[in-house]
Amino acid sequence: MSERDEHKKHEGAGTDTSTGTGADTDTDTDGVLAEVGPRLRRIRKERGATLAGLSSATGISVSTLSRLESGLRRPSLELLLPIARAHQVPLDELVGAPQVGDPRIRAAKPIVHYGRTHWPLTRQPGGLQAYKVLEPQRKLEPEPRTHEGYEWLYVLSGRLRLVLGEHDVVLAPGEAAEFDTRVPHWFGSTGEGPVEFLSLFGRQGERMHVRARPKKRGEDD
């Protein structure tokens, strides 16, 4: 089975992370802004400040400050910045910083094709796709294929044989390769043991903007 078929099989394996319609976003924003007024009043009272004193420190009129705290005036950056400076607090303390979501990617169920195991690492379908791949120890005859896209490989453990055009190379742990998949290519086990590697594939030719520093002559001598 070609790499193209494998990538086609994986497309859509990511999770849809859209949060809803524009109306939902507007509702969330209104909710955040509605909480600013009570928060401004609470912070001011915690510091024992009066509206008159805060007005003197910020240059904002007492009536404007009062309307902000009561929710009758929509908060803006122009108004919140001097208030944050006067209270000596970060701006997000006045606005209420949103909770940070869990950054961990929950591994999807592994996909096995002809003995090669793939773990999709990308949350969304389309675009650049990432996989963790485990190739078992086996001796296969290379069958180079071509297809649209661009691929980047990084070896985690073991040794990965890569046949690319006229080149036939072996990548060791910590080594990477990137190539246009329109060039005839094949990669797999060297037959000496299993190999674990990362694969990033851009169907539309997206590239990884990482370049290894070329080795100087005699560097490994």
Side-chain angles (χ1 to χ4, degrees), residues 43-124:
I43 292 175
R44 176 176 62 81
K45 290 187 175 182
E46 285 176 352
R47 284 159 175 72
T50 63
L51 286 174
L54 186 58
S55 174
S56 177
T58 61
I60 301 172
S61 68
V62 170
S63 62
T64 297
L65 291 172
S66 178
R67 292 174 64 200
L68 275 174
E69 291 186 357
S70 61
L72 298 177
R73 174 69 182 266
R74 189 178 180 88
S76 66
L77 193 61
E78 183 180 15
L79 294 173
L80 294 178
L81 279 174
I83 294 175
R85 284 195 292 265
H87 289 320
Q88 296 183 345
V89 298
L91 184 62
D92 59 6
E93 187 170 331
L94 301 183
V95 178
Q99 294 182 347
V100 178
D102 190 340
R104 294 174 295 179
I105 298 176
R106 303 299 180 182
K109 183 178 180 180
I111 303 169
V112 180
H113 285 298
Y114 296 98
R116 179 180 289 180
T117 306
H118 300 73
W119 286 268
L121 301 177
T122 317
R123 293 174 185 258
Q124 72 284 342

Side-chain angles (χ1 to χ4, degrees), residues 2 20 36 39 65 87 91 94 96 110 112 139 148 154 170 182 194 199-200 209:
S2 68
V36 172
R39 189 174 292 109
L65 291 172
H87 289 320
L91 184 62
L94 301 183
V112 180
K139 193 70 173 180
E148 292 295 324
Y154 180 85
V170 174
R182 291 174 297 181
S199 169
L200 277 74
H209 297 292

Side-chain angles (χ1 to χ4, degrees), residues 1 4 7 34 44 83 91 94 106 116 128 140 147 151 155 167 187 201 212 216:
M1 186 175 186
R4 181 181 184 182
H7 291 306
R44 176 176 62 81
I83 294 175
L91 184 62
L94 301 183
R106 303 299 180 182
R116 179 180 289 180
L128 196 65
L140 297 177
H147 54 87
E151 187 138 15
V155 179
H167 302 281
F187 51 85
F201 176 75
K216 297 180 181 179

Side-chain angles (χ1 to χ4, degrees), residues 187-203:
F187 51 85
S189 170
T190 61
E192 301 171 354
V195 56
E196 188 176 34
F197 60 96
L198 298 178
S199 169
L200 277 74
F201 176 75
R203 187 175 298 279

